[in-house]
Amino acid sequence: MRPLILVVEDEAGVQELLAYNLERAGFAVEQAFDGDQALTLVAERSPDLILLDWMLPHRSGLELCRQLRRRRETANLPIIMLTARAEEQDRLRGLDTGADDYITKPFSIDELIARMRAVLRRLRPAFSEEVLTFADLTMDLASHRVLRGQEEVHLSPTEFRLLRQLLERPGRVFSREQLLDLVWGRDQEVELRTVDATIRRLRRALNDHNRPDLLRTVRAAGYALDHKAGELVD
Ligand code: CA
């Protein structure tokens, strides 16, 4: 099941960008443009996490956050607050808002998703253990399915395990030796070039239909899951 994210933000452009990117990353998204709409959707849809902008019309995100915390049904609902400036974030941190994390605009989508996954992992472990995502890549650990966008990617068991290692720590560079240990096991008689060959096959499978390459080869160091998109949301 995909985690349902409620995005509470009055700016339509930001809403649209977030909805597009979160859905691409495997989340389901509901949108609220003010606090009243947010409260209605919280009651009707029981979201798994709320992205809550501080600056909202009528009732501020801060007020809404405190209100949700006071109610028994939503006292433990994961909330990440979005703030416009770093000073606001500092101020918020000093207040007893009850938010689980804060993120300052402009932020990168990858950074936001990593924070969301961290909060979900901590507070809603049932989700995070079953689905790993990065950019438009989704790996369902329960069903062993991998999707790039909406298209299924077919991988061998070894390719699947290799991709899983990279997906658990996006951006981190793994050396070929580390991947050999993690994917094939220390006691296997496998040569380092097997890692390279498996990466090549994985890359071919993932980049079918000329999709942007998500695997970075780091010369003399190893491999990482990475991409240069780095879109910033204002
Ligand atoms: Ca706003």
Side-chain angles (χ1 to χ4, degrees):
M1 202 173 71
R2 306 196 301 167
L4 176 64
I5 312 301
L6 174 63
V7 181
V8 189
E9 160 69 272
D10 55 317
E11 286 154 69
V14 177
Q15 273 283 11
E16 204 177 319
L17 199 60
L18 284 173
Y20 172 77
N21 283 286
L22 295 181
E23 276 166 5
R24 214 172 63 143
F27 296 99
V29 177
E30 281 285 350
Q31 302 175 311
F33 292 83
D34 61 37
D36 289 340
Q37 226 179 345
L39 287 174
T40 307
L41 283 168
V42 166
E44 281 174 2
R45 302 293 321 274
S46 309
D48 299 298
L49 183 147
I50 300 186
L51 286 182
L52 180 54
D53 190 41
W54 187 16
M55 301 305 276
L56 292 171
H58 317 305
R59 187 192 289 120
S60 76
L62 178 62
E63 221 176 302
L64 185 63
C65 188
R66 286 176 168 161
Q67 201 171 347
L68 289 167
R69 284 295 178 251
R70 277 197 301 270
R71 299 181 175 187
R72 202 158 52 94
E73 333 61 276
T74 53
N76 300 311
L77 182 58
I79 298 176
I80 297 180
M81 288 211 42
L82 311 176
T83 68
R85 293 189 302 273
E87 306 92 80
E88 288 180 359
Q89 184 169 340
D90 289 343
R91 222 183 104 198
L92 275 177
R93 277 187 198 284
L95 297 170
D96 181 22
T97 62
D100 297 293
D101 202 357
Y102 304 90
I103 194 156
T104 309
K105 298 174 182 179
F107 50 80
S108 86
I109 287 289
D110 289 340
E111 163 84 16
L112 175 68
I113 290 173
R115 300 274 201 100
M116 289 169 56
R117 283 171 57 182
V119 168
L120 284 171
R121 201 153 44 232
R122 194 150 45 85
L123 302 170
R124 294 284 188 276
F127 288 119
S128 49
E129 279 162 22
E130 290 189 359
V131 178
L132 299 172
T133 63
F134 179 76
D136 60 347
L137 199 57
T138 310
M139 172 179 277
D140 188 324
L141 298 175
S143 64
H144 266 246
R145 286 178 79 212
V146 176
L147 296 178
R148 183 94 200 249
Q150 306 299 321
E151 300 262 337
E152 182 146 14
V153 179
H154 297 280
L155 300 177
S156 73
T158 310
E159 291 156 13
F160 186 91
R161 284 202 305 277
L162 179 57
L163 179 60
R164 179 177 175 170
Q165 284 303 327
L166 299 171
L167 266 171
E168 303 233 3
R169 299 286 298 278
R172 171 175 162 183
V173 179
F174 289 90
S175 71
R176 296 147 87 214
E177 289 81 0
Q178 282 170 332
L179 290 173
L180 199 60
D181 282 351
L182 290 167
V183 177
W184 283 266
R186 213 170 261 278
D187 44 328
Q188 292 287 320
E189 293 273 324
V190 180
E191 293 181 58
L192 280 178
R193 61 170 186 242
T194 306
V195 178
D196 301 319
T198 310
I199 287 274
R200 266 200 304 279
R201 287 200 309 273
L202 183 58
R203 189 174 257 145
R204 255 202 311 272
L206 293 178
N207 298 349
D208 206 10
H209 307 299
N210 293 319
R211 293 200 165 90
D213 195 1
L214 298 178
L215 288 170
R216 183 159 62 99
T217 304
V218 184
R219 267 180 64 185
Y223 298 100
L225 201 58
D226 210 343
H227 68 122
K228 299 201 166 56
E231 306 142 274
L232 290 177
V233 178
D234 253 315

